[in-house]
Amino acid sequence: SDTDKNSLPGAENWPQTGSLEESLQVLIREAQKRAGQSLSRKSAEKLVEIYGTRALQISDSIAQDPSLAQPLSPNRAEVLAQVDFSVSQELASSVRDVLIRRTQIFFRASDQGLGCCDAVARRMGKLLSWSPERIDQEIQAYTEEVDRSRRWRL
């Protein structure tokens, strides 16, 4: 198979150290350094955990626009730059795609991402040239998805 010979995208240029933990620490430090120290340690760890060496691309985008280091949800490590990465590199095309599949905030945040869906929709709207109506539709669709997921609870 291809992966016998070629690295997965997040493993390309992996730091060669004595252990996996050392390699992860090298990447975390480099992610923070590239972001210009606007990226928290917790967020750098999360980016490396999810994206491997591709976390450095996200850090580079944060260096260009430090506002992208803003956490998506309180007490969570995911950052706004992940929305940009999801759109530009992973071809995400809906708020649901970003918050459910790409960041998994839907499953991991106590509010299931309702607190950040407006910001995500606005950012995606800017990146994808959405109309104000499309932004509102995306917010509504995500809110309905969260509501649907909560129906089974008593």
Side-chain angles (χ1 to χ4, degrees):
S1 79
D2 251 2
T3 56
D4 288 344
K5 299 175 193 86
N6 300 313
S7 299
L8 292 171
E12 292 175 356
N13 302 313
W14 190 262
Q16 298 302 310
T17 64
S19 71
L20 174 61
E21 185 57 37
E22 285 179 54
S23 295
L24 290 171
Q25 293 308 312
V26 167
L27 286 173
I28 291 165
R29 285 191 301 273
E30 183 65 18
Q32 283 192 286
K33 178 181 170 187
R34 285 192 184 195
Q37 300 301 317
S38 59
L39 185 65
S40 73
R41 169 112 184 146
K42 180 179 172 183
S43 292
E45 289 171 353
K46 177 58 82 176
L47 292 176
V48 169
E49 172 189 318
I50 294 171
Y51 303 102
T53 57
R54 294 175 72 177
L56 303 179
Q57 289 177 260
I58 297 171
S59 291
D60 290 343
S61 69
I62 292 169
Q64 295 295 314
D65 181 357
S67 72
L68 295 177
Q70 169 190 337
L72 288 178
S73 193
N75 304 314
R76 299 287 316 155
E78 296 86 346
V79 294
L80 192 57
Q82 289 176 258
V83 175
D84 289 32
F85 189 85
S86 294
V87 168
S88 68
Q89 301 298 310
E90 300 174 329
L91 306 178
S93 61
S94 72
V95 171
R96 287 175 291 174
D97 189 8
V98 170
L99 293 177
I100 296 171
R101 294 183 61 227
R102 311 300 173 169
T103 64
Q104 296 193 346
I105 284 177
F106 176 87
F107 302 106
R108 299 174 190 272
S110 60
D111 71 349
Q112 292 185 272
L114 290 175
C116 69
C117 72
D118 287 9
V120 170
R122 284 193 307 278
R123 184 66 185 175
M124 291 184 74
K126 181 178 179 182
L127 297 170
L128 297 169
S129 302
W130 287 347
S131 67
E133 294 78 21
R134 172 70 188 270
I135 292 169
D136 290 344
Q137 290 168 355
E138 288 291 325
I139 293 167
Q140 182 63 34
Y142 186 74
T143 301
E144 289 172 2
E145 189 74 32
V146 171
D147 289 346
R148 192 170 22 263
S149 77
R150 293 177 176 180
R151 283 192 199 134
W152 64 270
R153 296 182 185 167
L154 299 176

